[in-house]
Amino acid sequence: NHDLRLDLVQFLDSSYLSRFDRNGTLSDIGSTIGILNAELERIPPGLSSTRAELLGRLWKAILTQFQHTKETKDIDTAVSLHRHEINEMSGDNPYKMKLLVNMSRALFTRFRHLQAPEDINEAVEILRYALPLLPRSDFPELEHFIDFADMLDERFEHFGNPDDLDESIMTRRKVAE
């Protein structure tokens, strides 16, 4: 049964991450990444809710690994994985926004590590595109607007464009309304 298999994969993923949180053994993160990648290979392209769930879990595991190893290849993998999935899906896919938000976060994380202007510029542009398409009625979506403002603030701090600071303020004002 496909649902049972997915439940088992998610349980195993959670178990490895819990053990990692307790023991700090990076091989647990590597195991969860391997399991999630293998399961993604079993699911046909064309982002489904199952695929979206697995990609979200994989992004979390890759980010956790990157935070501990600081190896650029980890975050590069997250960016290329998201870029590939976005290119494979149709324009009206309901899971596209989640992927765009995660890709933007991956690019922003890579910017903080490598300081490459193209990463923060692309991260900002992705969220600028995605935010008007998100509902503003519930907290997780509001968090994306705050992330966008934070990215603009950081870009302003690094490059000094006052338009970034102005847009950040306008974004935060909209969230507060």
Side-chain angles (χ1 to χ4, degrees):
N1 184 330
H2 180 69
D3 291 337
L4 179 59
R5 180 175 175 79
L6 179 62
D7 289 345
L8 290 171
V9 167
Q10 291 172 339
F11 180 76
L12 192 54
D13 165 51
S14 295
S15 297
Y16 275 125
L17 291 177
S18 291
R19 189 167 71 181
F20 172 77
D21 288 341
R22 270 193 312 279
N23 301 335
T25 307
L26 278 175
S27 63
D28 287 333
I29 297 294
S31 294
T32 199
I33 289 170
I35 288 165
L36 293 169
N37 274 324
E39 192 61 20
L40 278 168
E41 288 178 16
R42 295 172 45 87
I43 299 170
L47 204 60
S48 63
S49 62
T50 301
R51 200 163 174 84
E53 171 70 23
L54 291 171
L55 285 165
R57 287 174 171 272
L58 182 57
W59 159 240
K60 180 181 175 188
I62 290 171
L63 181 62
T64 300
Q65 181 170 284
F66 173 75
Q67 289 169 336
H68 287 83
T69 65
K70 300 296 185 213
E71 290 185 24
T72 306
K73 71 176 177 62
D74 294 330
I75 209 70
D76 290 344
T77 297
V79 170
S80 64
L81 175 70
H82 282 83
R83 195 177 310 277
H84 172 76
E85 290 292 330
I86 290 166
N87 290 335
E88 290 291 313
M89 71 177 71
S90 65
D92 61 345
N93 192 301
Y95 305 103
K96 186 174 187 173
M97 289 305 119
K98 181 176 182 172
L99 230 57
L100 287 169
V101 167
N102 282 347
M103 183 172 166
S104 179
R105 287 179 173 161
L107 287 161
F108 187 54
T109 300
R110 189 166 69 183
F111 168 76
R112 285 184 159 172
H113 183 65
L114 299 175
Q115 303 292 302
E118 61 272 9
D119 285 337
I120 196 165
N121 291 338
E122 187 177 2
V124 165
E125 290 308 313
I126 288 170
L127 281 185
R128 185 176 282 132
Y129 164 78
L131 289 179
L133 305 174
L134 294 171
R136 295 187 190 181
S137 59
D138 96 73
F139 181 76
E141 280 70 25
L142 290 178
E143 183 182 338
H144 304 321
F145 285 86
I146 294 166
D147 287 348
F148 180 63
D150 289 346
M151 288 177 192
L152 289 166
D153 288 343
E154 189 146 340
R155 191 165 75 169
F156 170 75
E157 291 296 321
H158 280 82
F159 306 110
N161 183 347
D163 291 343
D164 287 336
L165 189 55
D166 292 343
E167 189 174 5
S168 170
I169 291 168
M170 288 188 324
T171 301
R172 289 180 198 281
R173 189 179 302 150
K174 284 180 187 176
V175 169
E177 293 174 351

